[in-house]
Amino acid sequence: MEDCLLLDAGSGGRASQRLISQCFFRHFANPLLERMDDAALLTDIHGPLAMSTDSYTVTPLIFPGGSIGSLAVHGTVNDVAMLGARPRYLSCAFILEEGLSLETLERITADMAAAAREAGVHIVTGDTKVVPRGACDKIFINTTGIGEVFANPVPSGHSARPGDAVLVSGAMGDHGLTVMGSREGLSFLTDVASDSAPLNHMIEDILQSAEEVHVLRDPTRGGLATTLNEIAEQSQVGILLEETAIPVHEAVRNGCSFLGLDPLYLANEGKCICIVPEDKAEAALEAMRRSPYGKEATRVGTVTEGKAQVSLQTRIGGRRLLGMLEGAQLPRIC
Amino acid sequence: MQLEQAFQDPQLCRSLLDRLNRALDGRSMRFMEVCGTHTVAIFQSGLRSLLPDTVAHLSGPGCPVCVTHDAEVAAFLDLAGRDNVIIATFGDLLRVPGPGGRSLKHAQAQGARVEIVYSPLDALTLAANNPGDIVVFLGIGFETTAPTVAATLLTARQRKLENFCVLSLHKLVPPALRTLLDDSQCAVEAFLLPGHVSTILGLEPYGFLAKDYHVPGVVGGFQPADILLALCMMAEQIRDNAPAVVNAYPRAVGDAGNPRARALLEQFFMPADALWRGIGSIPQSGLTLRPEYEDMNAMVRLDLTLPDVPPLPGCRCGDVLKGRMAPPDCPLFGKKCTPATPVGPCMVSTEGSCAAYFKYSER
Ligand code: SF4
């Protein structure tokens, strides 16, 4: 094989075959994929089903704690899981830029395969396009996931009720700051790593232990603050957070204060928000803490009556609005 | 960092609040925080919800983006449209609306080359990597940021980078305060002076506040306890009828400021009249490059003029910056003017007072 990707690999001919078999099939190996039919035939999956799709573009492609490959699996697996579903199958489409190093592609593919194994899902169908240099940023990945819903009732952003406890499964902002730091080459951010992780096993445990879960969401883009605002709107409730209760790693807090960023608006890729009736809060927290990805789980606030907005009880005991993010957070050094 | 956290201690804040209440003893106080970072800190920490009702806080002309005049925005938007020009800027300017609501973001979408930098020195790297283009750094900011820009000019000289220049729209704080106080409608009783600017200036340039206008001025830090301490000192000075300019932020600000930074400033810049949004021209309140550095002065090198731009219809930024009006009292606030559809820069800047009110006030 060459050491960088040529346009030929997207031709549909032998070069494509080579790329697919030497890279994708080798890593994603499973009987359904290897049938190479136009679609994957899924016979052992039972409804109701949850389905989610997402496209992944990130610079740099490989960052501390993960890569675009692991992210593309974790992101979609988690989205499916948040509906109280057991993710089973993934599709995966690559848009690759001519000239991409094959070593990088290989590493990303291996990451995807490892992430899928850990989550217990199979990548059963896919697509590859190669576009001329400059037509995309090295590599874009789309994944679609499908899973069997087992939760009853199904958790939803519309189901938060006044009096519910608001829980998070760990510290906020690790992923967002890591990616921003590696993109901008901010060498002082040495102690941060992405939290990208598959949460489906933890979610299954939460749902079984707490029995009744009103809302499950992963605070990805826009972070905790934006996601909670969406929930407040959907459920038409207020949410009151306790600033001192929200876990943020020291290195993230320092990096953010230096860059003028707010960790509550930074993306997370391995955390979930869980809103449960007060009397289920302990059971849900215990379930989270049993998972390697939920060790720092904690209660951060309460759902309240009143206007659909998120308020923050600050460190010094004051109160203020925690609004939705408008546009992107830009780091500032001045 | 740990030290900073000590200044967020709830008990310390509580005792300072008690001290403030004692000093006020039921009377009211109208103070102005000059600096946008203070405005944001007051909201973000939740301090505003804890201050006694009798304390009115006005946000002054201390957000560098907010005081940038429409004509200045029009000028850099004009530059952004030119061939072979790369604009280098801090991120906060991207969404500032100019005439017709157009911003650098729009210019960028239409093909202008606008690069966000994190330090003016990054702009030199841009210049070195693009020898066929001219890189213009948008020099916006007060006495705090201007010395770094001067240092960058020095480095550009040393590296013999000929395709780098600065559009200097820098502003100076003390002349603006004098203009506010000269206004007969000015209702400010005390100034919370900007901690960052004061690290450069020291106390002396503010002496006129107490001397000529009998108004207290306290340099304050940005943690809740810093701000509360400064408020206590202001209230006590008002109570005792003993206005003075004092430093309540000694861990960062020396009374004499930073003479080296000032010398660097003086080497490259000299004071000039400047346009302030909503206020108009203030004599000797800006910084322009000295004639010997004309080749690095974007105004001269790229033959720029500040166009005559009519003020934005309905925008009351001027009244807000002068402390005559609280942002929510602007008829456009939260209606036509929101962070998503800003009419004035006070609504987009991270340090803007309208943005702070919109972002942090519970509704
Ligand atoms: S609310 Fe908007 S229009 Fe009104 S003063 Fe503020 S920025 Fe200007």
Side-chain angles (χ1 to χ4, degrees), chain B residues 259-309:
Chain B
R260 275 188 54 204
R262 282 202 305 275
L264 192 60
L265 258 186
E266 259 178 51
Q267 183 186 339
F268 285 90
F269 294 104
M270 58 186 197
D273 296 354
L275 286 175
W276 293 62
R277 180 181 301 259
I279 300 176
S281 178
I282 301 181
Q284 303 293 292
S285 68
L287 290 174
T288 185
L289 271 93
R290 290 189 178 277
E292 52 270 43
Y293 303 104
E294 254 179 11
D295 56 316
M296 295 196 284
N297 183 346
M299 286 303 257
V300 179
R301 176 134 174 208
L302 295 162
D303 196 19
L304 267 182
T305 42
L306 295 186
D308 251 337
V309 182

Side-chain angles (χ1 to χ4, degrees), chain A residues 184 250 253-254 257 262 265 307 309 311 314-323 326 330-334, chain B residues 1 5 8 10 13 43-47 49-50 90-92 95 118 224 339-340 351 359-363:
Chain A
E184 311 295 351
E250 188 66 17
R253 192 181 298 288
N254 291 346
S257 86
D262 186 339
Y265 292 91
K307 288 213 167 136
Q309 62 183 10
S311 305
T314 65
R315 206 167 293 280
I316 61 166
R319 261 176 77 149
R320 66 157 166 101
L321 189 72
L322 188 69
E326 181 63 57
L330 290 172
R332 163 183 63 97
I333 301 179
C334 76
Chain B
M1 202 47 60
Q5 258 161 28
Q8 302 174 7
C13 292
F43 277 101
Q44 208 171 31
S45 64
L47 188 57
S49 67
L50 297 174
F90 293 138
D92 7 13
R95 302 180 60 235
Y118 300 105
E351 297 189 351
K359 216 168 133 190
Y360 298 119
S361 306
E362 292 177 294
R363 285 180 262 279

